[in-house]
Amino acid sequence: MAKTPMMEQYDQIKSRYPDMLLFFRVGDFYETFYEDAKTASAELNIVLTARGRDDGDAIPLAGVPYHSIENYISRLVRRGYKIAICDQVEDPREAKGIVRRDVTRVITPGTLTESNYLDETSNNYLAAIYYEKGIFGLGYVDISTTDFFVSEFGGDSALRQMLDEFGRISPPEVLISKELFSTPGFVLDLKRCSSRPLTINRFEDDYPLDYRESAAFLNSHFGTATLEGFGLNEANSKVSLVAACAIIKYLYETQKSSVGHIKRINVRMESNFMHLDVQSRSSLDIIPSLYGVLNFTKTTMGARLLKTWLESPLCDIAAIEWRQGLAGEFLSGLNLRRRCAEILGGIYDMERIMSRIALKNCNPRDIIALKKSFDEIKKLSGLIASAAAGSGLCEFFGKVDDFTALSELIGRAVKDDPPLSVRDGGIIKEGYDAELDDVNKIAHNSKEWLLNLEQNEQKRSGIKSLKIKYNRVFGYYIEITKANLGSIPENYIRKQTLANAERFYTPELKEMESQILNADERQKKLEYELFMKLVEEIAAHSESIYHAARAIAVTDVLASFAEAAAKYDYVKPEITCGDEIEILEGRHPVVENRMNYMGFINNDTLIGGGHSHVQILTGPNMAGKSTYIRQVALITLMAQTGSYVPAKKAKIGLCDRIFTRIGASDNLAAGQSTFMVEMIETANILNNATPKSLIILDEVGRGTSTYDGLAIAYAVIEFILSGGGNLLDGARTLFATHYHELTVLDKTFSKVQNLNVAVADGESGVVFLHKILPGPAGRSYGIHVAKIAGLPEQVVGRAADILKSLEESDEKTNITRLLKKATGARHKVDENQLDLFEAPGAKPPAIPEEVKAAIEKIKSININAITPLEALNYLSQIVSLISPVQISGK
Ligand SMILES: Nc1ncnc2c1ncn2[C@@H]1O[C@H](COP(=O)(O)OP(=O)(O)OP(=O)(O)O)[C@@H](O)[C@H]1O
Ligand SMILES: [Mg+2]
């Protein structure tokens, strides 16, 4: 059977959007067909039906009502689908034959602008990646804010660095060249480092892959002769421009209206920023935890910027000091800060409104929000000019334009509380446009005329219940109940009969009806045109409005820094080009927050700058080792964002990178074992750290057997201490470990210092003092922690016995001595002792049969499958197996 004309139209449109879900407007529904219908039905949980026949097969179909389409779209886009909306583009009443339809909107995860799809406080980027001759070029744009960046990565770790940056921006959608798409593992790498679902597209054939061609295309887009004005040149963006060009090409395809609001592009020079890899960002828990503590921003623009600043601290002293200076002005001016916060609270997301304006999908309430924001900006300018005259803040904010004229224009044009829709009228104020006022007058007068007519007809006919009514199908009519039908006037013409009434019209009413309806239609059309004209007028000022929006965001973040500093008693750190980290009475910003600022023990830090630059921190479980080393990393990071820091005093030599390898975290989803992950991360640190880096290592080696782990931990520290072939000589390093054996390193290397966390033996057991002291830790207290964690008395007691025996056997298996021997440390070694690393000629002691049996038993346990109760049972069986053996081996 041949296809219906409508299905032919569908096929023709769908062929242009093969990789998108096409929603096709039919009457009051948006329909999907074929595979799209199956997908939509499964993802949206809507009914899959069938219609007509396509060569004998029924066509699968699933539809959603037109008025709830937005909700369905947002669910699909969040899951990574791309969507094309096909509308009827002519009035069905005027259509000759089949109604014309066309795609009016394409929505993809990376090109969202509608506020109901977007997380207000995060950027939503569309990225592109191109690779050429060892260099990765990355480009990314947020079309809802117009932030557009390129950056490049070269050298041995180009891929890794690019992935780290990709992870930072975590775009929901990326375009990659065909070569990259077919490079094994690349797509998987991208998905792995991204923190949200990722839609991946290949470059189309017509995207240029050449620097010159790309530059020419971008120049034509920006209307510029050269990109040098944006700071882009062949040296810093040869490869990334190809990516940027792909982005603009893609936007031209997907955004039906213009993308002309993207007016500038910035090069992000990686060397200006501290590099944080994906792992370090997540183990320092910058977002949400640190952000959660520091965020006092009042606008969504400020919230987004604060996240960006925290995730990419600066490496430029002047820029850091500029931020500190302005934050300082807010800190010392309590009133300024309070008033400013109040005003900022009234400012809307101007960046996103402006993008909706540029893309012509803004609504009247957006415009009112913009007007209110303009008014608040004026207040803010006034406040800053008077309260902070002559200050850096005043100079900075002085560059923001005045929008009084625009605000007044909007105030004259748009009603204060307009509807959401642009097409249904009710937007424009009286007195703004003479023609509209005339049309409105007709509509108004005719309504009065109708009232008069009703009264007159009631009188004329003597029917009191006579009513003039309106509905969409029949227009205006006179309704008369059945009981009164006897007395209707002559000139009434019957229109419709109901159960207990009849409806009529008169020639007079008919004439007025067409006048009223015409006026109504004209009013809506006129209002729409006037509104769009106003929108264009606003769009003409987009550059200065974006500039103001950016200034608001910066002001908001700096005021937020000041608020945090005041509230939590932070101090301004001194930033130097040296290699020191000197912190007096430092605190962990998140842990102290969690403790409600009560009872957190501060600690000093002195690394580099004449002090040892490698510190080994030992101490019992729960003592606060991890807390302390993270605290140093977080204070350093905060300092380089321009924020104040939780300390009494701090002096930070700029760090180019912070590496953290913390805890034995599993990455089972990525198919890697705990230990593998640990080693990959450690390898990354050793391969990429520089003398300016800060390295935080927590329990490296914990993921494997004691001896392997100890050997690896030792070798890692030794590598760092010996400068790794000078590549990372002087890198500031904090190493927290349970391996007390590592504390002998200070005998061999002068650059290393031992620290420990103080504990006291109180009356009711061990008391953690959380104070960092010089020197290695005494003993481990692991069993004490096991006890307070609630392990059964019996198990704790038995463990204590075994520990005692083990400690007594120290003579024979003294790992420390062996370690010294194995590593050639200058130290007198008893040749007769057992060497566990490599023992020429040493005979291993015979293992008692019971112990062998116990080992077998342990090996047979499937850790992933047993319950805690079964585990205890196993433990008791093992204990009973070995209890006859004298563990000390004497
Ligand atoms: N300086 C401090 N002041 C107050 N409480 C602290 C401090 N440092 C840590 N704590 C508390 O001690 C707890 C344990 O700290 P942390 O995890 O740093 O110990 P740890 O030494 O790394 O232990 P483990 O060896 O088991 O990894 C923290 O959750 C916190 O509640
Ligand atoms: Mg720890």
mmCIF file of all heavy atoms in Angstrom, residues 350-388:
data_model
loop_
_atom_site.group_PDB
_atom_site.id
_atom_site.type_symbol
_atom_site.label_atom_id
_atom_site.label_comp_id
_atom_site.label_asym_id
_atom_site.label_seq_id
_atom_site.Cartn_x
_atom_site.Cartn_y
_atom_site.Cartn_z
ATOM 1 N N MET A 350 21.122 37.133 33.999
ATOM 2 C CA MET A 350 21.141 37.949 32.782
ATOM 3 C C MET A 350 21.838 37.245 31.628
ATOM 4 O O MET A 350 21.455 37.409 30.475
ATOM 5 C CB MET A 350 21.848 39.279 33.062
ATOM 6 C CG MET A 350 21.133 40.121 34.105
ATOM 7 S SD MET A 350 22.206 41.407 34.745
ATOM 8 C CE MET A 350 22.546 42.356 33.273
ATOM 9 N N GLU A 351 22.872 36.468 31.937
ATOM 10 C CA GLU A 351 23.591 35.773 30.858
ATOM 11 C C GLU A 351 22.641 34.869 30.092
ATOM 12 O O GLU A 351 22.594 34.870 28.870
ATOM 13 C CB GLU A 351 24.724 34.924 31.439
ATOM 14 C CG GLU A 351 25.909 35.737 31.894
ATOM 15 C CD GLU A 351 27.006 34.872 32.502
ATOM 16 O OE1 GLU A 351 26.730 33.756 32.988
ATOM 17 O OE2 GLU A 351 28.151 35.313 32.490
ATOM 18 N N ARG A 352 21.881 34.098 30.847
ATOM 19 C CA ARG A 352 21.006 33.134 30.156
ATOM 20 C C ARG A 352 19.818 33.829 29.493
ATOM 21 O O ARG A 352 19.370 33.419 28.436
ATOM 22 C CB ARG A 352 20.581 32.030 31.107
ATOM 23 C CG ARG A 352 21.774 31.104 31.385
ATOM 24 C CD ARG A 352 21.420 29.778 31.992
ATOM 25 N NE ARG A 352 22.595 28.905 31.887
ATOM 26 C CZ ARG A 352 22.849 27.887 32.696
ATOM 27 N NH1 ARG A 352 22.020 27.585 33.663
ATOM 28 N NH2 ARG A 352 23.927 27.154 32.502
ATOM 29 N N ILE A 353 19.346 34.898 30.125
ATOM 30 C CA ILE A 353 18.252 35.644 29.475
ATOM 31 C C ILE A 353 18.739 36.216 28.151
ATOM 32 O O ILE A 353 18.064 36.123 27.129
ATOM 33 C CB ILE A 353 17.742 36.776 30.393
ATOM 34 C CG1 ILE A 353 17.068 36.174 31.632
ATOM 35 C CG2 ILE A 353 16.775 37.687 29.642
ATOM 36 C CD1 ILE A 353 16.619 37.209 32.654
ATOM 37 N N MET A 354 19.966 36.764 28.159
ATOM 38 C CA MET A 354 20.483 37.359 26.929
ATOM 39 C C MET A 354 20.640 36.316 25.832
ATOM 40 O O MET A 354 20.429 36.597 24.653
ATOM 41 C CB MET A 354 21.827 38.057 27.193
ATOM 42 C CG MET A 354 21.706 39.370 27.928
ATOM 43 S SD MET A 354 20.480 40.479 27.202
ATOM 44 C CE MET A 354 21.257 40.899 25.642
ATOM 45 N N SER A 355 21.019 35.099 26.210
ATOM 46 C CA SER A 355 21.140 34.058 25.188
ATOM 47 C C SER A 355 19.779 33.682 24.642
ATOM 48 O O SER A 355 19.627 33.453 23.447
ATOM 49 C CB SER A 355 21.816 32.824 25.761
ATOM 50 O OG SER A 355 23.128 33.145 26.089
ATOM 51 N N ARG A 356 18.784 33.650 25.517
ATOM 52 C CA ARG A 356 17.444 33.346 25.009
ATOM 53 C C ARG A 356 16.968 34.481 24.102
ATOM 54 O O ARG A 356 16.301 34.245 23.107
ATOM 55 C CB ARG A 356 16.468 33.126 26.168
ATOM 56 C CG ARG A 356 16.730 31.811 26.898
ATOM 57 C CD ARG A 356 15.526 31.384 27.708
ATOM 58 N NE ARG A 356 15.294 32.195 28.885
ATOM 59 C CZ ARG A 356 15.895 31.994 30.065
ATOM 60 N NH1 ARG A 356 16.774 31.013 30.209
ATOM 61 N NH2 ARG A 356 15.623 32.754 31.093
ATOM 62 N N ILE A 357 17.355 35.702 24.445
ATOM 63 C CA ILE A 357 16.996 36.834 23.582
ATOM 64 C C ILE A 357 17.647 36.669 22.214
ATOM 65 O O ILE A 357 17.001 36.809 21.183
ATOM 66 C CB ILE A 357 17.426 38.168 24.239
ATOM 67 C CG1 ILE A 357 16.443 38.490 25.380
ATOM 68 C CG2 ILE A 357 17.466 39.300 23.217
ATOM 69 C CD1 ILE A 357 16.732 39.793 26.106
ATOM 70 N N ALA A 358 18.919 36.320 22.212
ATOM 71 C CA ALA A 358 19.623 36.170 20.944
ATOM 72 C C ALA A 358 19.016 35.045 20.113
ATOM 73 O O ALA A 358 18.958 35.133 18.893
ATOM 74 C CB ALA A 358 21.098 35.908 21.195
ATOM 75 N N LEU A 359 18.594 33.993 20.784
ATOM 76 C CA LEU A 359 18.044 32.847 20.054
ATOM 77 C C LEU A 359 16.537 32.994 19.836
ATOM 78 O O LEU A 359 15.883 32.086 19.368
ATOM 79 C CB LEU A 359 18.336 31.558 20.814
ATOM 80 C CG LEU A 359 19.820 31.212 20.903
ATOM 81 C CD1 LEU A 359 20.063 30.118 21.928
ATOM 82 C CD2 LEU A 359 20.345 30.788 19.550
ATOM 83 N N LYS A 360 16.011 34.147 20.213
ATOM 84 C CA LYS A 360 14.585 34.469 20.017
ATOM 85 C C LYS A 360 13.657 33.480 20.702
ATOM 86 O O LYS A 360 12.573 33.183 20.218
ATOM 87 C CB LYS A 360 14.246 34.543 18.521
ATOM 88 C CG LYS A 360 15.143 35.504 17.767
ATOM 89 C CD LYS A 360 14.322 36.377 16.852
ATOM 90 C CE LYS A 360 15.037 37.616 16.397
ATOM 91 N NZ LYS A 360 16.418 37.475 15.955
ATOM 92 N N ASN A 361 14.084 32.895 21.791
ATOM 93 C CA ASN A 361 13.114 32.104 22.539
ATOM 94 C C ASN A 361 12.953 32.608 23.976
ATOM 95 O O ASN A 361 12.746 31.848 24.900
ATOM 96 C CB ASN A 361 13.407 30.599 22.478
ATOM 97 C CG ASN A 361 14.743 30.256 23.076
ATOM 98 O OD1 ASN A 361 15.409 31.120 23.618
ATOM 99 N ND2 ASN A 361 15.142 29.005 22.999
ATOM 100 N N CYS A 362 13.015 33.932 24.096
ATOM 101 C CA CYS A 362 12.781 34.512 25.409
ATOM 102 C C CYS A 362 11.280 34.782 25.562
ATOM 103 O O CYS A 362 10.547 34.779 24.591
ATOM 104 C CB CYS A 362 13.537 35.825 25.541
ATOM 105 S SG CYS A 362 13.020 37.025 24.316
ATOM 106 N N ASN A 363 10.839 35.002 26.784
ATOM 107 C CA ASN A 363 9.426 35.308 26.996
ATOM 108 C C ASN A 363 9.296 36.657 27.712
ATOM 109 O O ASN A 363 10.289 37.217 28.177
ATOM 110 C CB ASN A 363 8.764 34.159 27.778
ATOM 111 C CG ASN A 363 9.344 34.009 29.158
ATOM 112 O OD1 ASN A 363 9.382 34.971 29.933
ATOM 113 N ND2 ASN A 363 9.826 32.818 29.478
ATOM 114 N N PRO A 364 8.091 37.196 27.791
ATOM 115 C CA PRO A 364 7.930 38.541 28.374
ATOM 116 C C PRO A 364 8.455 38.636 29.813
ATOM 117 O O PRO A 364 8.976 39.672 30.220
ATOM 118 C CB PRO A 364 6.420 38.766 28.336
ATOM 119 C CG PRO A 364 5.944 37.915 27.209
ATOM 120 C CD PRO A 364 6.821 36.713 27.214
ATOM 121 N N ARG A 365 8.349 37.535 30.557
ATOM 122 C CA ARG A 365 8.849 37.613 31.943
ATOM 123 C C ARG A 365 10.367 37.752 31.984
ATOM 124 O O ARG A 365 10.925 38.349 32.896
ATOM 125 C CB ARG A 365 8.403 36.370 32.720
ATOM 126 C CG ARG A 365 6.919 36.431 32.967
ATOM 127 C CD ARG A 365 6.449 35.373 33.917
ATOM 128 N NE ARG A 365 5.010 35.220 33.771
ATOM 129 C CZ ARG A 365 4.318 34.178 34.153
ATOM 130 N NH1 ARG A 365 4.947 33.162 34.741
ATOM 131 N NH2 ARG A 365 3.029 34.115 33.978
ATOM 132 N N ASP A 366 11.064 37.153 30.976
ATOM 133 C CA ASP A 366 12.517 37.343 30.877
ATOM 134 C C ASP A 366 12.843 38.828 30.774
ATOM 135 O O ASP A 366 13.800 39.320 31.379
ATOM 136 C CB ASP A 366 13.059 36.645 29.625
ATOM 137 C CG ASP A 366 13.205 35.134 29.807
ATOM 138 O OD1 ASP A 366 13.323 34.690 30.964
ATOM 139 O OD2 ASP A 366 13.204 34.409 28.794
ATOM 140 N N ILE A 367 12.042 39.522 29.971
ATOM 141 C CA ILE A 367 12.333 40.937 29.726
ATOM 142 C C ILE A 367 12.107 41.750 31.007
ATOM 143 O O ILE A 367 12.879 42.654 31.329
ATOM 144 C CB ILE A 367 11.435 41.476 28.585
ATOM 145 C CG1 ILE A 367 11.651 40.633 27.330
ATOM 146 C CG2 ILE A 367 11.712 42.948 28.311
ATOM 147 C CD1 ILE A 367 13.071 40.625 26.813
ATOM 148 N N ILE A 368 11.056 41.388 31.739
ATOM 149 C CA ILE A 368 10.825 42.088 33.005
ATOM 150 C C ILE A 368 11.951 41.779 33.991
ATOM 151 O O ILE A 368 12.450 42.660 34.707
ATOM 152 C CB ILE A 368 9.446 41.690 33.585
ATOM 153 C CG1 ILE A 368 8.326 42.316 32.736
ATOM 154 C CG2 ILE A 368 9.299 42.117 35.032
ATOM 155 C CD1 ILE A 368 8.338 43.848 32.721
ATOM 156 N N ALA A 369 12.405 40.518 33.991
ATOM 157 C CA ALA A 369 13.523 40.142 34.869
ATOM 158 C C ALA A 369 14.766 40.958 34.516
ATOM 159 O O ALA A 369 15.522 41.394 35.385
ATOM 160 C CB ALA A 369 13.814 38.642 34.749
ATOM 161 N N LEU A 370 14.950 41.178 33.230
ATOM 162 C CA LEU A 370 16.100 41.959 32.777
ATOM 163 C C LEU A 370 15.978 43.404 33.263
ATOM 164 O O LEU A 370 16.937 43.999 33.749
ATOM 165 C CB LEU A 370 16.143 41.912 31.242
ATOM 166 C CG LEU A 370 17.479 42.198 30.576
ATOM 167 C CD1 LEU A 370 18.557 41.259 31.090
ATOM 168 C CD2 LEU A 370 17.350 42.052 29.063
ATOM 169 N N LYS A 371 14.767 43.936 33.137
ATOM 170 C CA LYS A 371 14.548 45.317 33.587
ATOM 171 C C LYS A 371 14.842 45.449 35.082
ATOM 172 O O LYS A 371 15.544 46.360 35.517
ATOM 173 C CB LYS A 371 13.102 45.733 33.315
ATOM 174 C CG LYS A 371 12.823 47.146 33.813
ATOM 175 C CD LYS A 371 11.344 47.414 33.912
ATOM 176 C CE LYS A 371 11.004 48.817 34.368
ATOM 177 N NZ LYS A 371 11.771 49.387 35.430
ATOM 178 N N LYS A 372 14.325 44.496 35.848
ATOM 179 C CA LYS A 372 14.577 44.563 37.291
ATOM 180 C C LYS A 372 16.076 44.483 37.567
ATOM 181 O O LYS A 372 16.599 45.162 38.447
ATOM 182 C CB LYS A 372 13.861 43.405 37.996
ATOM 183 C CG LYS A 372 12.354 43.595 38.029
ATOM 184 C CD LYS A 372 11.688 42.488 38.834
ATOM 185 C CE LYS A 372 10.185 42.688 38.885
ATOM 186 N NZ LYS A 372 9.477 41.451 39.213
ATOM 187 N N SER A 373 16.772 43.637 36.805
ATOM 188 C CA SER A 373 18.219 43.519 36.996
ATOM 189 C C SER A 373 18.913 44.828 36.676
ATOM 190 O O SER A 373 19.823 45.252 37.392
ATOM 191 C CB SER A 373 18.785 42.396 36.122
ATOM 192 O OG SER A 373 18.088 41.199 36.362
ATOM 193 N N PHE A 374 18.491 45.484 35.566
ATOM 194 C CA PHE A 374 19.089 46.781 35.217
ATOM 195 C C PHE A 374 18.928 47.766 36.380
ATOM 196 O O PHE A 374 19.852 48.491 36.727
ATOM 197 C CB PHE A 374 18.397 47.381 33.980
ATOM 198 C CG PHE A 374 18.710 46.662 32.695
ATOM 199 C CD1 PHE A 374 17.822 46.693 31.627
ATOM 200 C CD2 PHE A 374 19.914 45.970 32.534
ATOM 201 C CE1 PHE A 374 18.109 46.042 30.436
ATOM 202 C CE2 PHE A 374 20.206 45.315 31.344
ATOM 203 C CZ PHE A 374 19.296 45.345 30.292
ATOM 204 N N ASP A 375 17.732 47.761 36.961
ATOM 205 C CA ASP A 375 17.475 48.712 38.053
ATOM 206 C C ASP A 375 18.374 48.408 39.250
ATOM 207 O O ASP A 375 18.887 49.314 39.906
ATOM 208 C CB ASP A 375 15.994 48.658 38.453
ATOM 209 C CG ASP A 375 15.101 49.101 37.302
ATOM 210 O OD1 ASP A 375 15.638 49.678 36.323
ATOM 211 O OD2 ASP A 375 13.880 48.858 37.358
ATOM 212 N N GLU A 376 18.570 47.115 39.513
ATOM 213 C CA GLU A 376 19.437 46.751 40.640
ATOM 214 C C GLU A 376 20.894 47.126 40.357
ATOM 215 O O GLU A 376 21.625 47.545 41.245
ATOM 216 C CB GLU A 376 19.337 45.242 40.938
ATOM 217 C CG GLU A 376 17.966 44.771 41.387
ATOM 218 C CD GLU A 376 17.476 45.450 42.659
ATOM 219 O OE1 GLU A 376 18.228 45.466 43.648
ATOM 220 O OE2 GLU A 376 16.347 45.994 42.647
ATOM 221 N N ILE A 377 21.294 46.947 39.090
ATOM 222 C CA ILE A 377 22.672 47.304 38.728
ATOM 223 C C ILE A 377 22.908 48.787 38.976
ATOM 224 O O ILE A 377 23.959 49.201 39.467
ATOM 225 C CB ILE A 377 22.968 46.959 37.251
ATOM 226 C CG1 ILE A 377 23.031 45.443 37.076
ATOM 227 C CG2 ILE A 377 24.274 47.586 36.786
ATOM 228 C CD1 ILE A 377 23.251 44.988 35.659
ATOM 229 N N LYS A 378 21.902 49.565 38.658
ATOM 230 C CA LYS A 378 22.035 51.011 38.870
ATOM 231 C C LYS A 378 22.226 51.301 40.370
ATOM 232 O O LYS A 378 23.092 52.084 40.759
ATOM 233 C CB LYS A 378 20.775 51.696 38.358
ATOM 234 C CG LYS A 378 20.916 53.199 38.357
ATOM 235 C CD LYS A 378 19.745 53.850 37.675
ATOM 236 C CE LYS A 378 19.958 55.355 37.752
ATOM 237 N NZ LYS A 378 19.469 56.054 36.607
ATOM 238 N N LYS A 379 21.431 50.606 41.176
ATOM 239 C CA LYS A 379 21.582 50.793 42.629
ATOM 240 C C LYS A 379 22.981 50.396 43.065
ATOM 241 O O LYS A 379 23.625 51.063 43.865
ATOM 242 C CB LYS A 379 20.583 49.890 43.373
ATOM 243 C CG LYS A 379 19.189 50.444 43.469
ATOM 244 C CD LYS A 379 18.394 49.581 44.450
ATOM 245 C CE LYS A 379 16.949 49.438 44.032
ATOM 246 N NZ LYS A 379 16.311 48.248 44.556
ATOM 247 N N LEU A 380 23.449 49.258 42.517
ATOM 248 C CA LEU A 380 24.760 48.745 42.920
ATOM 249 C C LEU A 380 25.863 49.726 42.520
ATOM 250 O O LEU A 380 26.771 50.005 43.310
ATOM 251 C CB LEU A 380 24.977 47.373 42.262
ATOM 252 C CG LEU A 380 26.143 46.539 42.770
ATOM 253 C CD1 LEU A 380 26.034 46.322 44.263
ATOM 254 C CD2 LEU A 380 26.209 45.193 42.054
ATOM 255 N N SER A 381 25.767 50.256 41.294
ATOM 256 C CA SER A 381 26.769 51.233 40.844
ATOM 257 C C SER A 381 26.797 52.409 41.805
ATOM 258 O O SER A 381 27.874 52.872 42.217
ATOM 259 C CB SER A 381 26.432 51.754 39.452
ATOM 260 O OG SER A 381 26.547 50.739 38.519
ATOM 261 N N GLY A 382 25.602 52.871 42.167
ATOM 262 C CA GLY A 382 25.508 54.016 43.077
ATOM 263 C C GLY A 382 26.134 53.684 44.421
ATOM 264 O O GLY A 382 26.926 54.466 44.964
ATOM 265 N N LEU A 383 25.795 52.518 44.919
ATOM 266 C CA LEU A 383 26.309 52.088 46.220
ATOM 267 C C LEU A 383 27.838 52.034 46.217
ATOM 268 O O LEU A 383 28.506 52.593 47.101
ATOM 269 C CB LEU A 383 25.745 50.706 46.570
ATOM 270 C CG LEU A 383 26.333 50.048 47.794
ATOM 271 C CD1 LEU A 383 25.862 50.748 49.059
ATOM 272 C CD2 LEU A 383 25.969 48.566 47.852
ATOM 273 N N ILE A 384 28.380 51.389 45.183
ATOM 274 C CA ILE A 384 29.834 51.225 45.135
ATOM 275 C C ILE A 384 30.511 52.587 44.959
ATOM 276 O O ILE A 384 31.537 52.862 45.583
ATOM 277 C CB ILE A 384 30.228 50.236 44.019
ATOM 278 C CG1 ILE A 384 29.775 48.822 44.419
ATOM 279 C CG2 ILE A 384 31.723 50.250 43.764
ATOM 280 C CD1 ILE A 384 29.974 47.763 43.370
ATOM 281 N N ALA A 385 29.921 53.422 44.121
ATOM 282 C CA ALA A 385 30.542 54.731 43.892
ATOM 283 C C ALA A 385 30.567 55.562 45.170
ATOM 284 O O ALA A 385 31.522 56.290 45.425
ATOM 285 C CB ALA A 385 29.785 55.478 42.793
ATOM 286 N N SER A 386 29.529 55.433 45.988
ATOM 287 C CA SER A 386 29.533 56.278 47.187
ATOM 288 C C SER A 386 30.261 55.601 48.351
ATOM 289 O O SER A 386 31.049 56.219 49.052
ATOM 290 C CB SER A 386 28.104 56.643 47.583
ATOM 291 O OG SER A 386 27.413 55.463 47.944
ATOM 292 N N ALA A 387 30.033 54.311 48.536
ATOM 293 C CA ALA A 387 30.619 53.655 49.707
ATOM 294 C C ALA A 387 32.078 53.279 49.506
ATOM 295 O O ALA A 387 32.828 53.124 50.463
ATOM 296 C CB ALA A 387 29.814 52.402 50.054
ATOM 297 N N ALA A 388 32.481 53.079 48.254
ATOM 298 C CA ALA A 388 33.848 52.616 48.048
ATOM 299 C C ALA A 388 34.576 53.500 47.044
ATOM 300 O O ALA A 388 35.358 53.026 46.233
ATOM 301 C CB ALA A 388 33.820 51.160 47.574
#
